[in-house]
Amino acid sequence: MIETGEPEPTVYHRHLAQLLKRDDEENFRALLVQARHITGTSYETTPYDHQQAFRLLWHHLERSGHLHRAHRDAHARLASGHAVPDERADLELFLTIYGRVHPPSAA
């Protein structure tokens, strides 16, 4: 790492700078990484910084409609039985969070 005298950008600011440069699938993978940081105890900076990055990514993906498609695709991928353990854990975590934000409607 080269010392420039500049402070390291926060996780949030790094994701903000890359948000529109990445496609939705790359942003979704970044969202899953932030979810793992938040639910674990591994932080690059602070839990709050990771939470802010997660919120940024979540709102962006929700506005683009990608979260709805990812929700549907996650169910299909898990049902297929072809997800490797790490992928399965990520998808289950995503489905848990999605279910809390968008609880199923009582019919």
Side-chain angles (χ1 to χ4, degrees):
M1 179 186 266
I2 299 173
E3 280 295 321
T4 63
E6 298 285 321
E8 281 287 318
T10 63
V11 173
Y12 172 84
H13 284 103
R14 283 198 320 262
H15 285 288
L16 181 61
Q18 293 295 315
L19 192 65
L20 299 178
K21 296 176 185 176
R22 296 185 296 218
D23 66 23
D24 283 345
E25 193 55 40
E26 290 172 305
N27 281 319
F28 182 69
R29 286 191 299 273
L31 176 86
L32 295 177
V33 169
Q34 294 312 307
R36 283 194 306 269
H37 281 297
I38 293 165
T39 59
T41 56
S42 164
Y43 306 112
E44 291 177 54
T45 54
T46 66
Y48 179 75
D49 188 24
H50 287 282
Q51 290 166 355
Q52 291 300 95
F54 180 88
R55 286 184 189 105
L56 171 74
L57 293 161
W58 184 276
H59 291 298
H60 174 76
L61 292 167
E62 193 150 60
R63 282 189 303 270
S64 74
H66 188 80
L67 286 184
H68 178 73
R69 290 186 303 277
H71 177 254
R72 181 192 62 228
D73 294 347
H75 279 292
R77 180 77 176 150
L78 289 172
S80 76
H82 292 94
V84 296
D86 286 345
E87 178 188 19
R88 181 174 207 71
D90 282 348
L91 293 175
E92 288 171 349
L93 177 58
F94 167 69
L95 290 174
T96 299
I97 296 166
Y98 190 92
R100 289 184 183 165
V101 174
H102 300 284
S105 305

